[in-house]
Amino acid sequence: MGLKSTITKEKLKSKSKAGIVLRPSTPEIKDDYIKIKGYFEKQNIEIFLEKNSANMIDEEGIDLDILCDTVDFLVSIGGDGTLISVVRRTFRSGKPVLGINLGTLGFLTDVSLNELESFLQNLSDDENYRIDSRMMIKGNANLKNFFAFNDIVISRNSLSSMIKVDAKIDGKPFNSYYGDGIIISSPTGSTAYNLSVGGPLVYPLTDAFIVTPVAPHSLTQRPLVLPADFEIEFTITDNQGAMVIVDGQDIYEVEQNQSIKIQIASKKAKLLHRKERNYFEVLNEKLQWGN
Ligand SMILES: NC(=O)c1ccc[n+]([C@@H]2O[C@H](COP(=O)([O-])OP(=O)(O)OC[C@H]3O[C@@H](n4cnc5c(N)ncnc54)[C@H](O)[C@@H]3O)[C@@H](O)[C@H]2O)c1
Ligand SMILES: Nc1ncnc2c1ncn2[C@@H]1O[C@H](COP(=O)(O)OP(=O)(O)OP(=O)(O)O)[C@@H](O)[C@H]1O
């Protein structure tokens, strides 16, 4: 565990490198970025800015793929949406991502602007941080692969009618869904859309899929928790086709009789956390768990 494999203590003491991605379409974030950059540089951590983020605030930047090759860890500045998008686009590099919360909820982002300076002062001590490995979901439709940190949602195309979907596990039929759609969530995503429609919370370091129907027109449909080594296939039987929504951010269209295959991604995402971060405390603080 720990940053040891990517950021060794020695590296931190000499000079480590962090790659920053900013919440898109918010040029007013520049003042916070400059403050944050100052905190990193004070701790001898060199900062590189991602190209689109840099263009937004009139700075110099580098392409995300090159950034991943260059730095020891990535930093997302924004809310949960920004962090999800950074993780989805970079997890294959194996670089851990730290979320600095400038958003509204900030369930996944670990450190607030107020906490950042002291967090960075202590980063050279292995006792003060943790790296969690979280499963990613891999989807395939129309010969195209996509990856989700939170969820893949199969949703109806038309507001006026329900969607029909047949589901198989490892090639064997196990259910037919009829309703507004289906959420296939990772444990990380269990506190997102899945929570809103009554799905179970699953501890984020568990390896499992959660399959939760959205507004099923049935008295018998229930959310399912399935082992991560299953391959799940959903076939759209509806003549209107369906939308496949990845982490609420990317959308693909599928037609009648086309399938979406879902399995665990071979690589996990790494999140850099404060050592003392406790999932149930975050649940309580952000989502009023147990109140
Ligand atoms: N009705 C709903 O609850 C609903 C509908 C559509 C999408 N979503 C979720 O929004 C996610 C995308 O988030 P976004 O921030 O880009 O969109 P967004 O700005 O629409 O935010 C959705 C809300 O969910 C929170 N959130 C996101 N991921 C979370 C997680 N893993 N645990 C707890 N809270 C989380 C965000 O902080 C935000 O408050 C999707 O993956 C999907 O799960 C939820
Ligand atoms: N790279 C990206 N591409 C497309 N959309 C993005 C990207 N990053 C963030 N977004 C979207 O921008 C919106 C705002 O971003 P973000 O979620 O980071 O801030 P927020 O809504 O203020 O915070 P929170 O999610 O914590 O409530 C979200 O809807 C998110 O999905």
Side-chain angles (χ1 to χ4, degrees):
M1 280 279 262
L3 278 171
K4 285 174 215 151
S5 56
T6 39
I7 311 175
T8 60
K9 255 187 187 170
E10 289 62 40
K11 253 191 192 172
L12 275 170
K13 276 179 196 152
S14 56
K15 193 148 181 116
S16 64
K17 299 185 177 98
I20 291 192
V21 183
L22 303 175
R23 182 203 280 132
S25 313
T26 49
E28 63 277 15
I29 210 168
K30 185 168 183 173
D31 289 347
D32 284 333
Y33 163 71
I34 288 170
K35 198 188 275 179
I36 290 167
K37 184 171 183 261
Y39 291 154
F40 277 92
E41 288 174 345
K42 206 167 152 190
Q43 299 307 320
N44 211 18
I45 300 172
E46 197 177 351
I47 287 300
F48 295 83
L49 190 57
E50 182 266 339
K51 200 171 194 169
N52 294 329
S53 308
N55 288 343
M56 181 177 78
I57 58 167
D58 298 322
E59 299 252 348
E60 294 283 302
I62 53 179
D63 280 333
L64 190 61
D65 289 344
I66 302 171
L67 188 73
C68 288
D69 288 341
T70 309
V71 301
D72 301 299
F73 65 109
L74 292 151
V75 181
S76 153
I77 302 180
D80 289 328
T82 308
L83 178 76
I84 294 161
S85 145
V86 172
V87 168
R88 194 174 62 250
R89 292 180 292 147
T90 65
F91 78 98
R92 275 166 289 187
S93 72
K95 300 290 164 78
V97 183
L98 170 69
I100 297 177
N101 183 28
L102 298 184
T104 40
L105 180 66
F107 186 88
L108 300 170
T109 52
D110 211 39
V111 181
S112 70
L113 198 48
N114 292 338
E115 296 164 325
L116 182 63
E117 197 168 13
S118 70
F119 175 75
L120 292 178
Q121 276 163 3
N122 295 324
L123 195 60
S124 56
D125 183 348
D126 288 346
E127 298 305 309
N128 287 308
Y129 62 82
R130 222 194 40 240
I131 295 183
D132 284 355
S133 294
R134 296 179 178 223
M135 86 169 236
M136 298 285 299
I137 300 177
K138 178 181 171 189
N140 177 285
N142 293 328
L143 302 176
K144 195 170 172 46
N145 287 333
F146 37 86
F147 295 89
F149 188 39
N150 265 351
D151 42 37
I152 292 176
V153 178
I154 301 171
S155 181
R156 58 191 178 147
N157 249 334
S158 139
L159 278 181
S160 59
S161 56
M162 296 198 286
I163 186 179
K164 293 178 201 142
V165 180
D166 287 343
K168 290 180 184 166
I169 289 174
D170 293 340
K172 293 204 179 70
F174 77 96
N175 204 355
S176 289
Y177 290 92
Y178 189 39
D180 283 359
I182 307 159
I183 303 167
I184 303 97
S185 168
S186 67
T188 296
S190 69
T191 43
Y193 196 2
N194 168 71
L195 169 144
S196 305
V197 301
L201 300 194
V202 177
Y203 192 79
L205 303 185
T206 315
D207 281 349
F209 296 105
I210 306 140
V211 181
T212 305
V214 183
H217 193 240
S218 158
L219 288 170
T220 57
Q221 296 283 357
R222 287 289 182 270
L224 273 175
V225 180
L226 298 170
D229 59 352
F230 280 11
E231 184 178 286
I232 319 172
E233 183 177 348
F234 297 92
T235 305
I236 313 301
T237 55
D238 200 292
N239 62 16
Q240 309 241 24
M243 283 185 293
V244 177
I245 306 165
V246 179
D247 284 343
Q249 297 178 350
D250 291 342
I251 300 186
Y252 302 87
E253 288 195 11
V254 282
E255 289 169 11
Q256 185 178 25
N257 298 325
Q258 287 186 331
S259 296
I260 303 118
K261 284 191 178 155
I262 288 185
Q263 59 193 145
I264 191 170
S266 54
K267 274 205 162 181
K268 290 195 167 183
K270 293 181 183 163
L271 283 194
L272 174 51
H273 288 302
R274 287 175 293 120
K275 186 83 169 188
E276 67 276 15
R277 185 180 196 270
N278 176 291
Y279 178 67
F280 294 99
E281 281 172 15
V282 178
L283 267 185
N284 174 271
E285 185 196 330
K286 308 273 181 178
L287 295 173
Q288 288 77 51
W289 164 265
N291 284 351

